[in-house]
């Protein structure tokens, strides 16, 4: 028997970037995301003979490459009093560890596949809490559309819920894949180091205000406010990295070039904004009427760049 679950990635418009509890992955702030239709992970669980095994994109992973996944699997087994050995087979339809949120779809799919395999009747809230322990952002990928991860202050109270699973908003996300190599600083490491910035606490203080503003922008179908706020929030996060001690950044020269192009397009009256996660790639927020122009401009200014045109995606789906 094998059980397979598909989960889509999500991109935060209000970012999670800091933990109150590293083991339980309790965040220091609440976050808000959009789940994407264009990027996803399919993960299967089946029985193994004598040890846990992890395949990613059909390749057997070494002990080191499997460590995070298999530690998480052990934790799930312990939680539900299961002693089997398991095979995890996962296919990423998203670049792995490149700041395009592979961990969000990966751990949402894995948590749900595990529960399905063992007939564990977890409701969406419980699934979100389980996925959260694998990767914080995965808590939001249980749901489609817009999701909010309320920070809470315990394993029970920290989970995501849908704000609107089927948004009617005219909102596109163009992923500009400038560099899809595996990043050197994982998100887990980056957000830990970021806390040494003198701006970390002031940023944290703004979280509730920014989250509420974002919720209002979505409710009012106000693309301009959504875009401006998402861009500000992302830049705040990257400013914190630049002012951490020691400082670091996920930006590359191409990232800055892409930021400048978004500014230029805006000056020309093509409304668009950017958000950037823990990697060098830009996600351009725009509306349907401008998508063609934006793709054309990025294609002509960046040789051979891959651009993925995404919109809202669904929550987890059971494939068999
Ligand atoms: P990203 O920006 O892609 O989310 P992270 O640093 O947050 O990058 O997480 C990347 C890590 O997530 C990988 O190194 C790997 O441990 C884990 N991961 C990614 N894809 C999968 C998958 N399909 N199954 C299990 N674990 C995965
Ligand atoms: C910048 O969820 O990948 O994408 O919980 O340590 O696995 P871990 O981190 P992860 O961090 C995501 C950071 C972000 C912002 C966000 O998705 O909210
Ligand atoms: Co991640």
């Amino acid at each position: 028997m094998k059980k397979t679950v598909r989960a889509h990635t999500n991109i935060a418009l209000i970012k999670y970037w800091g933990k109150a509890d590293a083991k339980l992955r309790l965040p220091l702030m609440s976050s808000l995301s959009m789940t994407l239709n264009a990027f996803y992970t399919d993960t299967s669980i089946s029985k193994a003979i004598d040890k846990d095994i992890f395949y990613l994109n059909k390749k057997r992973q070494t002990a080191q490459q499997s460590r995070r996944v298999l530690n998480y699997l052990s934790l799930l087994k312990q939680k539900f009093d299961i002693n089997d050995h398991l095979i995890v087979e996962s296919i990423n339809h998203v670049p792995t560890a490149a700041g395009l949120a592979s961990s969000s779809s990966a751990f949402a799919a894995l948590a749900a596949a595990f529960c399905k395999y063992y007939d564990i009747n977890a409701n969406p809230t419980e699934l979100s809490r389980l996925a959260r322990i694998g990767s914080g952002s995965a808590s939001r990928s249980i749901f489609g559309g817009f999701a909010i991860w309320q920070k809470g202050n315990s394993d029970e109270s920290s989970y995501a819920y849908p704000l609107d699973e089927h948004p009617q908003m005219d909102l596109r996300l163009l992923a500009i894949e400038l560099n899809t190599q595996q990043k050197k600083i994982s998100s887990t490491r980056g957000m830990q180091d970021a806390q040494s910035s003198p701006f970390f606490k002031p940023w944290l203080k703004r979280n509730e205000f920014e989250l509420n503003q974002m919720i209002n922008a979505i409710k009012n179908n106000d693309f301009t406010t959504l875009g401006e706020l998402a861009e500000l929030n992302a830049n705040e996060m990257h400013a914190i990295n630049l002012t951490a001690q020691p400082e670091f950044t996920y930006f590359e020269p191409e990232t800055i070039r892409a930021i400048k192009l978004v500014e230029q397009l805006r000056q020309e009256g093509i409304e668009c904004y950017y958000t950037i996660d823990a990697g060098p790639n830009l996600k351009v927020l725009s509306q349907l009427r401008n998508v063609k122009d934006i793709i054309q401009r990025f294609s002509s200014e960046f040789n051979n760049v891959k651009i993925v045109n995404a919109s809202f995606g669904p929550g987890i789906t059971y494939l068999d």
Side-chain angles (χ1 to χ4, degrees), residues 10-12 14-17 19 25 31-33 68 99 101 103-104 107 132 134-138 140 149 183 187-189 191 237-238 276-278:
N10 73 77
I11 295 298
I14 299 293
K15 309 281 186 203
Y16 146 59
W17 196 243
K19 293 179 177 78
R25 286 191 154 80
S31 52
L32 184 155
S33 61
R68 177 168 177 179
S103 70
S104 70
F107 287 92
R132 185 203 76 225
S135 177
S137 55
R140 302 181 307 241
W149 174 17
K183 58 185 149 187
S187 296
T188 308
R189 215 349 252 302
M191 70 176 77
M237 172 190 138
H238 291 281
I276 307 171
D277 293 286

Side-chain angles (χ1 to χ4, degrees), residues 1-4 44-46 89 117 320:
M1 187 187 53
K2 187 189 264 196
K3 292 293 173 194
T4 306
S44 307
I45 293 278
S46 55
E89 291 168 274
Y117 187 82
D320 59 25

Side-chain angles (χ1 to χ4, degrees), residues 197 237-244 247-249 251:
S197 164
M237 172 190 138
H238 291 281
I240 279 163
N241 298 343
L242 282 167
T243 48
E247 63 78 32
F248 67 99
T249 185
F251 287 6

Side-chain angles (χ1 to χ4, degrees), residues 32 42 56 69 95 141 157 163 173 180 200 223 234 281 293 306:
L32 184 155
D42 289 340
L56 180 60
V69 182
S141 272
S157 59
L163 175 65
L173 184 147
T180 54
F200 190 82
F223 170 68
N281 302 300
D293 285 349
K306 185 174 170 199

Side-chain angles (χ1 to χ4, degrees), residues 49-242:
I49 297 167
D50 57 357
K51 61 174 177 174
D52 294 336
I53 305 173
F54 174 43
Y55 285 89
L56 180 60
N57 299 334
K58 309 218 180 255
K59 284 196 205 86
R60 171 93 181 250
Q61 302 292 291
T62 63
Q64 200 196 337
Q65 289 168 323
S66 310
R67 201 171 52 106
R68 177 168 177 179
V69 182
L70 297 188
N71 280 347
Y72 177 64
L73 197 64
S74 300
L75 193 141
L76 288 179
K77 288 196 281 185
Q78 202 182 355
K79 235 183 182 20
F80 296 101
D81 219 1
I82 286 159
N83 293 310
D84 298 338
H85 298 293
L86 296 172
I87 305 174
V88 177
E89 291 168 274
S90 191
I91 309 272
N92 273 344
H93 298 268
V94 58
T96 302
L100 288 156
S102 69
S103 70
S104 70
S105 50
F107 287 92
L110 179 52
F114 181 91
C115 289
K116 185 74 186 169
Y117 187 82
Y118 286 107
D119 265 328
I120 297 165
N121 235 331
N123 65 32
T125 304
E126 288 159 349
L127 275 181
S128 174
R129 287 172 44 218
L130 286 177
R132 185 203 76 225
I133 295 172
S135 177
S137 55
S139 64
R140 302 181 307 241
S141 272
I142 300 300
F143 307 102
F146 289 114
I148 294 174
W149 174 17
Q150 62 176 34
K151 66 182 170 122
N153 55 18
S154 61
D155 180 41
E156 288 71 34
S157 59
S158 185
Y159 55 82
Y161 59 90
L163 175 65
D164 183 352
E165 287 225 80
H166 304 284
Q168 294 304 303
M169 192 170 193
D170 176 8
L171 177 63
R172 311 292 309 186
L173 184 147
L174 302 175
I176 317 288
E177 297 190 0
L178 299 164
N179 181 350
T180 54
Q181 298 271 80
Q182 193 156 333
K183 58 185 149 187
K184 293 198 180 77
I185 305 172
S186 69
S187 296
T188 308
R189 215 349 252 302
M191 70 176 77
Q192 192 182 329
D193 295 353
Q195 290 194 42
S196 62
S197 164
F199 299 125
F200 190 82
K201 279 207 176 107
W203 182 47
L204 212 51
K205 274 216 189 97
R206 292 176 53 77
N207 172 248
E208 203 179 313
F209 171 73
E210 289 189 6
L211 179 70
N212 286 329
Q213 273 201 318
M214 187 59 83
I215 293 171
N216 283 334
I218 290 167
K219 287 191 172 151
N220 297 332
N221 195 25
D222 179 352
F223 170 68
T224 300
T225 303
L226 179 146
E228 286 177 354
L229 193 57
E231 194 173 291
L232 172 64
N233 182 270
N235 281 332
E236 287 169 345
M237 172 190 138
H238 291 281
I240 279 163
N241 298 343
L242 282 167

